[in-house]
Amino acid sequence: MSIKTWSCFVTTAPREICTLKLTCESLADAGWSPVIFAEPGSTDLSDFYPTFWNVDRLGVWRNLHQALTWAVAQGTSHVFAVQDDVDLHPETKDWLDALEWPKDAGFISPYTPRPYQTWKS
């Protein structure tokens, strides 16, 4: 089993009902150290998590591109990218670390729609 090193980030924008804090806590509970890429006016968690603030609104794709560019520049072997409305099983990182990924894998998604989540009440 190869050792995986991770860059983990969250993209966020202003939300009427903000779940950014819960998302970051979920990532931290799973063992990641999330970095936030925030659109102007987003919830400020920079006291708790490293945050890159966009001066101008970039939109979903350009904010994601900026975050991916940062993640690749970190020199890690793997990137974990989420938006600000994710809730992870606490063993997600352990599971992904233990997985023997295909040599040509470019993307693996641990996404499970809420109706199929059996680990939460």
Side-chain angles (χ1 to χ4, degrees):
M1 176 172 70
S2 62
I3 295 177
K4 296 169 182 68
T5 57
W6 294 93
S7 292
C8 173
F9 68 80
V10 180
T11 56
T12 190
R15 305 278 181 226
E16 192 171 307
I17 299 172
C18 182
T19 57
L20 177 61
K21 185 174 188 283
L22 294 173
T23 294
C24 289
E25 289 171 349
S26 174
L27 288 163
D29 287 346
W32 278 292
S33 299
V35 174
I36 299 169
F37 284 80
E39 293 280 43
S42 297
T43 299
D44 187 354
L45 297 180
S46 59
D47 286 345
F48 307 99
Y49 304 99
T51 303
F52 291 91
W53 289 97
N54 300 332
V55 175
D56 298 312
R57 185 179 179 278
L58 298 180
V60 173
W61 293 112
R62 289 190 300 156
N63 196 25
L64 176 62
H65 181 267
Q66 171 183 261
L68 286 168
T69 300
W70 169 86
V72 169
Q74 302 311 299
T76 54
S77 64
H78 292 71
V79 175
F80 196 73
V82 300
Q83 290 187 310
D84 57 7
D85 59 351
V86 171
D87 188 14
L88 300 173
H89 186 284
E91 295 173 355
T92 301
K93 184 176 179 297
D94 293 338
W95 175 71
L96 289 171
D97 279 337
L99 243 151
E100 277 301 318
W101 295 28
K103 296 259 186 262
D104 61 350
F107 178 82
I108 292 179
S109 175
Y111 173 73
T112 303
R114 187 167 302 280
Y116 300 105
Q117 293 178 358
T118 59
W119 58 277
K120 284 196 157 185
S121 57

